[in-house]
Amino acid sequence: MLVAAGFVGMTTPAAMAYDGTKCKAPGNCWEPKPGFPEKIAGSKYDPKHNPKELAKQVESRKGEEARNAQRAAHFKKTGKWVYDVKKIQ
């Protein structure tokens, strides 16, 4: 019983530092600095990703997956791994 009471006494200060919306003391939990916007979109913190640039990454991944599928199919057929898909016929 005393061990349990001691354990609760040791852990509650950390749990009590944050009430769910505001830190009770500075530095013992994280909260946004004053002036940080509720919504990032349209604020100065918005990274403003270009959808065309993001689409390039998706296309690149699709190409990579297609090349890997070709390599794997060639390996299953011949037992030989060929990295350059241009050499696979």
Side-chain angles (χ1 to χ4, degrees), residues 4-5 23-24 29 39 47 61 74 76-77 79 85 88:
C23 294
K24 291 187 176 179
C29 63
K39 203 173 178 183
R61 291 290 255 170
H74 180 74
K76 285 179 183 176
K77 193 165 65 177
V85 292
I88 297 172

Side-chain angles (χ1 to χ4, degrees), residues 74 82-89:
H74 180 74
V82 177
Y83 180 76
D84 190 0
V85 292
K86 293 175 186 169
K87 295 179 181 175
I88 297 172
Q89 293 297 324

Side-chain angles (χ1 to χ4, degrees), residues 9-63:
M10 288 176 19
T11 58
T12 51
M16 299 291 286
Y18 186 66
D19 68 356
T21 56
K22 297 282 182 193
C23 294
K24 291 187 176 179
N28 61 4
C29 63
W30 183 90
E31 66 181 346
K33 291 182 178 177
F36 194 80
E38 289 276 328
K39 203 173 178 183
I40 302 299
S43 72
K44 71 177 185 179
Y45 301 102
D46 187 359
K48 297 175 185 143
H49 294 295
N50 184 344
K52 289 182 182 177
E53 293 295 321
L54 293 177
K56 287 180 184 177
Q57 188 173 6
V58 171
E59 292 298 320
S60 174
R61 291 290 255 170
K62 286 180 182 175

